[in-house]
Amino acid sequence: MSSAETTPNSEAKPGKLLTFRTSAWLGWMIESNWTDPFIFAIYSIIRPISTAAILIVMYLVIRGGDFGSADFVNLYIGNAFFILVGAAIQGVSFGILDDREHYRTLKYIYIAPVRVPVYLFGRSVASILVACFSVLITLGFGIIFLKMPIALAEVKWGLFAAAFVLGMAVMICLGLMLGSWTLIIKNNAWSLGESLGAGLLIFSGAVFPLSVLPVPLQWVGSALPISYWLTLIRRALVPGIGRAYPMYTNLSDQQLILILLGFTLVYAALAALIYKRFDFIARERGNIDMVSNY
Amino acid sequence: MFAVETEALGRIYKVKKTRKEAAHTLVALDNVNLSVNQGELFGLLGPNGAGKTTLIKVLTTLLAPSSGFAHVNGLDVARQPEEIRRQINMVSGGETSGYGLLTVRENLWMFTQFYGIPSRQANARIMELLKIVGLEDRANTKSSNLSTGLRQKMNIVRGFMTDPTVLFLDEPTLGLDVGAARDVRRFVRQWVDDDPTRTLLLTTHYMVEAEEMCDRVAIINQGKILACDTPQNLKQSLRSEGVYSLQVSALDEKDFEELKGIAGFRQGTLRQVESGAELELVLSDDSVLAGLLGFLTAKGSRITTLHKREASLEDVFISLVGKSMKDVENGAAD
């Protein structure tokens, strides 16, 4: 054995884009590599349809059908887009757990000259893309088989794009907050994302309007950007039906966008602060390369 | 400027209360003062639980110090972790880290990207290093299909391929077979010798590793640096004394404690073996042997072999700690 002649690399520093691209590639490899591409494609189609089917059966039992009603359309769209909430939040935060506990690589990522939040964001892209595909499949199933009144010509595309981008940004920030917390906890870290997802489902107006909740819980819902995001998505996709949904009826689309923008900025600042603080605590406690075996 | 420098460095772990034990603190590093020169291959020698890995974690910015200071290339580990990370890398031995679903080449390429190395240069470097560690025919094998030893080799390549100015190796040969460990040692030594701006700090509990490879060695136990010098100078410190290996027909712990009272006895260890007992003794000079022989005879113990030998780093450790490294490990949790 002899030493390799290598170019000294004493001031290595990748750009954020390279970090993002590489971690997105890693995320995709992890997301898709558990099976062969054919089975992965089938799974990606069957999973959202199965979720939609559960909703349909529940609605059928409770309301006796009528899939063209405004209530069901709003419920269906809220439920379809809620897939993205879990994917974005868990996608970002799960990278910490997966690398630390499963692959045991977090310490090596950590000592590399990368911005860990950028790495985590890149790592989540694959799960977000797969979730986007699930949303499309769910909506397509609704349009074709349930005759849902979503007409592409009537969709407010500008509003949809703005709401979608802001919503994804705010959820990624939430994911970073959750990931930061994950950095310092040993027990039950695996269930954090699921617990948060379940909480958000209740308080975000995804399956029922906030007005059915007791007033203090309505305040909780109004403090969550996802409530505004889902309202905007409904109003953009099915303008007439979405406007009739009993949430924030006194607010215009523009006002809702501004509120969502405000939330995004606040959550981004909070996520940066929380990451910095928890990163400090993790280094103080020696949590970065901890293996909890939970 | 030193490549690595610590000043009164301390690290305390707070252990939370459990059902079995009360809350307490654990001193992992205690007032550690070290200076490693640029271009040096520096070894930290100590038993498991001595504080070696904790020191590496502090220096690689994974763990914050509880007190004191630590600098890498003049940068403060507590205040300038991002600047330090551009200049260092680390490999931990005896673990199976890595993305098992990626091939060896993919695993390594991914990390080169995190260090901003252009793909073409990275791929060439990866193949060159894989060839050196004898893994080139496994480049396209998923790392989950590699044995622990081969995964360890992959991780060694990961550490070297970014060509850091300061490289930390934590027990790099743990889990490797004898031949592979020898190859890695030779490669590590060559890597440092090839470029005077490279510095390497390795931890080990293998005496031979520290003795063969390192320019200087610090002996660490219970978080304290007990001695720091070249392996030769450390051994020289015992030159005025005599180091003896004895095999006797029988000797129990109680008698051994009594033996320690003989004038001129410095340090020693006792190990029970099938044929009797083995003693490793450091005595002030040869004249102490007379008293020792008298003592053993009085105890009814017969000497099977008596051998005076050159001092080793193990003897240095025994003279400093009063126990062999193995005895310390058996009595100390990591």
Side-chain angles (χ1 to χ4, degrees):
Chain A
M1 266 164 89
S2 65
S3 167
E5 288 299 321
T6 47
T7 313
N9 192 39
S10 58
E11 282 294 330
K13 191 176 192 311
K16 290 187 186 76
L17 188 63
L18 183 58
T19 301
F20 175 77
R21 234 173 40 204
T22 309
S23 55
W25 170 82
L26 172 66
W28 175 251
M29 296 301 276
I30 291 172
E31 191 75 23
S32 63
N33 258 20
W34 57 272
T35 184
D36 66 67
F38 178 71
I39 294 177
F40 181 68
I42 295 290
Y43 167 79
S44 302
I45 292 168
I46 287 177
R47 192 173 57 164
I49 290 177
S50 305
T51 312
I54 293 169
L55 189 76
I56 292 163
V57 171
M58 284 166 65
Y59 190 78
L60 205 61
V61 170
I62 296 167
R63 300 287 291 268
D66 190 11
F67 299 123
S69 73
D71 281 351
F72 183 74
V73 173
N74 281 314
L75 170 75
Y76 193 84
I77 290 173
N79 198 64
F81 276 84
F82 197 81
I83 296 171
L84 285 167
V85 177
I89 295 174
Q90 284 223 58
V92 175
S93 63
F94 195 69
I96 293 273
L97 266 182
D98 212 18
D99 282 357
R100 190 181 69 194
E101 309 274 344
H102 184 200
Y103 298 113
R104 315 268 165 111
T105 48
L106 185 63
K107 62 179 172 183
Y108 298 123
I109 301 286
Y110 210 84
I111 64 158
V114 297
R115 298 240 175 231
V116 175
V118 176
Y119 167 79
L120 292 174
F121 175 34
R123 194 83 151 63
S124 71
V125 165
S127 65
I128 292 173
L129 285 178
V130 171
C132 285
F133 183 64
S134 296
V135 172
L136 283 176
I137 295 286
T138 310
L139 291 178
F141 182 83
I143 293 168
I144 295 166
F145 296 103
L146 304 174
K147 309 293 179 209
M148 294 191 58
I150 301 174
L152 294 182
E154 288 174 22
V155 172
K156 292 180 177 175
W157 288 110
L159 181 66
F160 180 80
F164 188 84
V165 169
L166 288 174
M168 293 314 296
V170 88
M171 283 183 275
I172 285 163
C173 292
L174 261 171
L176 184 57
M177 289 183 209
L178 188 67
S180 306
W181 189 18
T182 307
L183 261 182
I184 64 158
I185 51 173
K186 284 183 190 171
N187 313 350
N188 309 315
W190 297 97
S191 58
L192 261 188
E194 282 176 20
S195 311
L196 183 70
L200 290 175
L201 184 67
I202 295 169
F203 297 118
S204 63
V207 287
F208 47 77
L210 290 181
S211 54
V212 306
L213 294 172
V215 174
L217 295 183
Q218 287 182 34
W219 295 339
V220 175
S222 292
L224 295 172
I226 296 162
S227 315
Y228 302 91
W229 177 65
L230 287 174
T231 305
L232 278 164
I233 291 289
R234 287 182 180 115
R235 288 189 189 184
L237 279 184
V238 281
I241 295 170
R243 199 73 179 80
Y245 194 63
M247 270 176 71
Y248 311 119
T249 45
N250 57 333
L251 296 174
S252 68
D253 296 349
Q254 287 76 13
Q255 284 172 319
L256 283 176
I257 281 285
L258 281 175
I259 290 170
L260 190 56
L261 176 66
F263 266 115
T264 308
L265 295 174
V266 170
Y267 273 51
L270 266 178
L273 280 174
I274 289 173
Y275 173 74
K276 203 172 173 185
R277 181 64 194 154
F278 281 68
D279 167 60
F280 177 80
I281 296 171
R283 289 179 63 210
E284 283 280 304
R285 293 186 186 171
N287 290 148
I288 308 291
D289 64 336
M290 163 185 78
V291 178
S292 67
N293 289 322
Y294 272 88
Chain B
M1 183 180 70
F2 292 106
V4 173
E5 190 178 20
T6 69
E7 192 185 327
L9 183 67
R11 172 68 209 190
I12 293 168
Y13 286 104
K14 287 176 187 162
V15 183
K16 283 185 181 170
K17 182 186 164 195
T18 63
R19 282 179 195 171
K20 290 180 181 169
E21 56 181 358
H24 61 281
T25 55
L26 191 75
V27 180
L29 294 175
D30 185 5
N31 197 30
V32 170
N33 293 292
L34 266 187
S35 303
V36 179
N37 298 310
Q38 196 180 49
E40 199 169 25
L41 202 168
F42 190 91
L44 270 175
L45 177 68
N48 292 329
K52 307 186 297 290
T53 300
T54 301
L55 182 55
I56 292 250
K57 282 186 191 176
V58 170
L59 294 171
T60 53
T61 76
L62 287 172
L63 187 65
S66 304
S67 58
F69 301 94
H71 293 91
V72 175
N73 284 342
L75 299 163
D76 189 325
V77 294
R79 290 182 189 159
Q80 297 162 291
E82 287 176 9
E83 287 87 340
I84 289 175
R85 288 170 194 160
R86 292 178 206 161
Q87 304 179 26
I88 63 164
N89 209 332
M90 174 185 68
V91 177
S92 294
E95 61 176 32
T96 53
S97 62
Y99 297 95
L101 50 92
L102 301 182
T103 66
V104 170
R105 193 205 300 262
E106 286 169 341
N107 260 295
L108 297 170
W109 172 83
M110 189 191 75
F111 276 100
T112 61
Q113 300 313 288
F114 291 147
Y115 285 80
I117 302 171
S119 259
R120 185 185 293 239
Q121 192 185 342
N123 283 324
R125 204 182 279 185
I126 287 165
M127 286 317 291
E128 195 180 357
L129 285 163
L130 285 179
K131 205 170 175 183
I132 288 168
V133 300
L135 257 186
E136 76 270 34
D137 56 335
R138 302 294 188 106
N140 296 316
T141 303
K142 283 193 175 185
S143 67
S144 57
N145 294 334
L146 296 180
S147 66
T148 307
L150 294 182
R151 265 199 180 201
Q152 174 66 358
K153 283 185 174 181
M154 180 185 82
N155 272 320
I156 286 170
V157 171
R158 185 190 46 68
F160 282 91
M161 73 188 176
T162 60
D163 204 18
T165 53
V166 184
L167 179 58
F168 298 91
L169 301 181
D170 189 11
E171 303 276 5
T173 57
L174 201 66
L176 294 183
D177 61 55
V178 177
R182 190 186 53 227
D183 286 350
V184 166
R185 283 181 199 131
R186 202 178 300 151
F187 173 67
V188 165
R189 181 70 254 182
Q190 188 68 47
W191 184 81
V192 176
D193 290 343
D194 278 350
D195 187 337
T197 65
R198 292 169 175 165
T199 306
L200 197 145
L201 192 154
L202 76 85
T203 73
T204 183
H205 66 283
Y206 298 134
M207 301 289 173
V208 64
E209 202 157 278
E211 207 160 334
E212 264 181 31
M213 296 169 67
C214 299
D215 299 317
R216 282 194 305 145
V217 172
I219 294 177
I220 183 169
N221 190 43
Q222 293 184 337
K224 286 182 182 160
I225 300 290
L226 304 175
C228 179
D229 211 328
T230 62
Q232 200 54 36
N233 284 349
L234 286 170
K235 289 187 287 183
Q236 289 271 331
S237 65
L238 294 182
R239 202 172 61 169
S240 60
E241 294 158 333
V243 181
Y244 302 88
S245 298
L246 282 90
Q247 202 156 41
V248 296
S249 58
L251 193 73
D252 59 22
E253 286 289 342
K254 190 168 153 274
D255 289 339
F256 183 61
E257 286 304 313
E258 211 177 310
L259 181 149
K260 288 178 182 174
I262 295 173
F265 175 92
R266 293 278 182 268
Q267 290 291 357
T269 61
L270 169 73
R271 195 160 66 96
Q272 300 297 337
V273 292
E274 209 172 299
S275 57
E278 281 179 359
L279 293 138
E280 299 292 332
L281 303 177
V282 180
L283 306 176
S284 60
D285 55 59
D286 293 350
S287 66
V288 183
L289 283 173
L292 178 71
L293 290 173
F295 175 85
L296 290 171
T297 308
K299 293 291 173 188
S301 183
R302 188 168 43 81
I303 294 178
T304 320
T305 60
L306 168 62
H307 176 59
K308 185 178 181 184
R309 57 177 173 78
E310 284 287 306
S312 66
L313 285 182
E314 174 80 28
D315 300 316
V316 177
F317 185 87
I318 291 169
S319 76
L320 290 167
V321 178
K323 288 178 184 172
S324 72
M325 214 180 275
K326 205 178 241 178
D327 288 344
V328 173
E329 281 175 1
N330 289 339
D334 195 277

